[in-house]
Amino acid sequence: MREPRALEAPVRMSGEVVKGFGRGSKVLGIPTANLPHDALKQLPRSFETGIYFGWATVDGVGPYKMVTSVGWNPQFANTSMTVEPHLLHSFPDDFYGSSIKIVIVGHLRAEAKFESLESLIDEIHLDISSAGELLDCEPYSFLRSA
Ligand code: ADP
Ligand code: RBF
Ligand code: MG
C-alpha cells in the first residue's frame, strides 16, 4: 500500500476523451482515457506532476474510482505533458469522444522511469490497488460526490 497525501483542495478537470499513442492498452495492458492538451489549463499553477487518485464520471455516469498520471511519461520520453486517468471499472468498449470529468483527491507518488516495462506495470498495479482501498475510506470516499 502506498503512503498517500491528501490534496489541500480537490482538483477538478474535464474534457473530451482523446487519442494518445495507443500504448496504454497495447504495451501496458492498462488503458488510460487521455484528456485533451487544452485541459492542462485547469490545473492549479503550482500543481506538481505525479501519480494521483480520485473519482471520475464518463458522460455523467459514475463516479468510478480512478488513478491518473499527470506528467511527461518519463519511461517513454514524451515531449508533451498528459493527464491520463485509468478507471477502476471494466468497460465493454472504448469511449473516445465521451465527456470525462475527474476530481483528483490525493497524491500517490512521483512519476518515474523504471529499469523495465515489467517494473512500471508492477508499480501501476500497486497504484491501482492502493487507490481502490484508499477511496473506500475517509477523507477520500467523502469526495466521491465532490
Ligand atoms: P490512448 O493512447 O489512445 O489513450 P489507451 O490504450 O491508453 O490509448 O486507451 C484507449 C481507450 O481505452 C481510452 O481512451 C478509453 O476510451 C478506453 N478504456 C477502456 N477501459 C478503460 C478504463 N478502465 N480506463 C480508461 N480508459 C478505458
Ligand atoms: N509513465 C511513466 O513514464 N512513469 C510512471 O511512473 C507512470 N506511472 C503511471 C501510473 C499510473 C497509475 C498510470 C495510469 C499511468 C502511469 N504512467 C507512467 C503513464 C503511462 O506510461 C501511460 O499511461 C502509457 O504510456 C499510455 O499512454
Ligand atoms: Mg491513454
Side-chain angles (χ1 to χ4, degrees):
M1 171 69 99
R2 302 235 182 261
E3 276 299 319
R5 167 170 60 77
L7 300 196
E8 275 173 36
V11 170
R12 287 180 190 70
M13 300 184 80
S14 59
E16 213 175 80
V17 176
V18 298
K19 289 240 175 203
F21 297 107
R23 255 180 344 225
S25 321
K26 290 207 188 78
V27 180
L28 304 177
I30 304 158
T32 55
N34 297 31
L35 270 76
H37 186 72
D38 207 43
L40 290 172
K41 288 192 293 206
Q42 300 165 26
L43 286 172
R45 235 173 313 150
S46 59
F47 200 84
E48 284 172 28
T49 62
I51 311 307
Y52 293 84
F53 63 100
W55 298 99
T57 60
V58 177
D59 288 334
V61 182
Y64 303 108
K65 294 174 177 176
M66 70 90 193
V67 63
T68 187
S69 79
V70 177
W72 302 88
N73 297 3
Q75 193 85 30
F76 301 96
N78 282 8
T79 53
S80 67
M81 191 167 147
T82 53
V83 177
E84 304 192 21
H86 168 75
L87 279 51
L88 279 63
H89 180 78
S90 177
F91 292 89
D93 293 300
D94 285 347
F95 46 90
Y96 288 113
S98 291
S99 153
I100 188 166
K101 292 187 180 170
I102 67 173
V103 53
I104 301 172
V105 301
H107 175 272
L108 289 173
R109 64 176 172 90
E111 287 191 288
K113 184 174 191 298
F114 297 95
E115 276 171 27
S116 67
L117 224 47
E118 288 65 37
S119 307
L120 172 64
I121 293 168
D122 287 349
E123 294 294 331
I124 297 179
H125 282 139
L126 183 56
D127 298 329
I128 293 171
S129 59
S130 299
E133 282 189 44
L134 290 162
L135 288 162
D136 284 331
C137 310
E138 297 305 333
Y140 309 109
S141 57
F142 172 72
L143 293 157
R144 193 169 198 273
S145 51

